[in-house]
Amino acid sequence: MTTADIAARDPIEHARSLLAAKPDGLIEAVAREAKVSTRAVLELLPSEQRLLIAAERFEDVWKELATWGTVLFLMHTPDIVLECEASLPVGSFGHGYYNIHGDSPIGGHIKAENCRAIYVVDRSTAQGRRACSVQFFNGAGDVMFKVFVRRDAARELLPDQLGRFEALKTKFG
């Protein structure tokens, strides 16, 4: 059976074969090629690379991330990968949104009720470096946004944030 046959028959199996061929592949790219949601591809990763946190813990997780200092906040759509390095301000619920405000370039209003899953993701990049993030998913299985542990000038993960990342895995795991 060819790869095209597998893809036509079972998109999840196609995604699985793409990940097997390139385990460090970009999750969104695999999802796009296999025509499945990003969350469906994330679920195919080995369990040690992902930890599911219930969406009901949105505010608890956000408040924890707000203690990390300057993080890499990332939004990845088919049209743009937007990155912003800043601290996450603590927010509050009101008018149907989680409203984030404070002295940070990251601000606005998140439809937190649309969050259906939060994942702590710990995997290698195509360059062989460890990448650690917390990813928030909507009901369609698309990423709402990601928060990454930042890197230093030598491209190493910041030790303090890496420690907080590990503590978050323990706290919410």
Side-chain angles (χ1 to χ4, degrees):
M1 186 177 296
T2 68
T3 304
D5 292 334
I6 293 170
R9 228 182 241 175
D10 188 345
I12 293 294
E13 282 307 313
H14 183 52
R16 193 182 315 279
S17 69
L18 292 169
L19 280 175
K22 192 167 186 198
D24 58 1
L26 185 64
I27 299 297
E28 286 85 353
V30 171
R32 215 173 12 261
E33 185 171 338
K35 296 180 176 54
V36 298
S37 72
T38 302
R39 183 177 177 190
V41 175
L42 188 66
E43 279 291 327
L44 297 175
L45 294 178
S47 60
E48 63 272 9
Q49 293 182 15
R50 59 177 164 74
L51 169 69
L52 174 63
I53 300 174
E56 295 75 27
R57 305 293 309 270
F58 179 94
E59 185 175 28
D60 298 329
V61 172
W62 183 274
K63 284 181 177 179
E64 190 74 27
L65 293 171
T67 69
W68 287 19
T70 301
V71 296
L72 175 61
F73 186 87
L74 188 141
M75 292 182 65
H76 186 163
T77 74
D79 302 310
I80 185 171
V81 177
L82 179 66
E83 299 177 2
C84 180
E85 287 190 8
S87 60
L88 296 180
V90 174
S92 59
F93 285 100
H95 305 289
Y97 289 89
Y98 187 71
N99 302 292
I100 49 177
H101 36 72
D103 189 24
S104 173
I106 299 173
H109 315 280
I110 302 169
K111 196 73 164 172
E113 69 184 29
N114 289 352
C115 181
R116 294 292 181 261
I118 303 166
Y119 284 87
V120 179
V121 180
D122 189 343
R123 61 190 301 255
S124 293
T125 66
Q127 295 78 32
R129 297 187 182 273
R130 185 177 178 197
C132 300
S133 62
V134 181
Q135 303 184 18
F136 296 74
F137 285 80
N138 64 22
D142 296 324
V143 177
M144 296 170 71
F145 57 88
K146 304 176 185 181
V147 177
F148 280 86
V149 171
R150 284 186 40 249
R151 297 182 183 279
D152 62 18
R155 306 292 300 141
E156 298 299 324
L157 295 172
L158 296 176
D160 178 59
Q161 280 190 2
L162 185 56
R164 290 173 183 269
F165 176 82
E166 295 295 345
L168 184 137
K169 284 199 297 191
T170 301
K171 181 176 182 175
F172 292 97

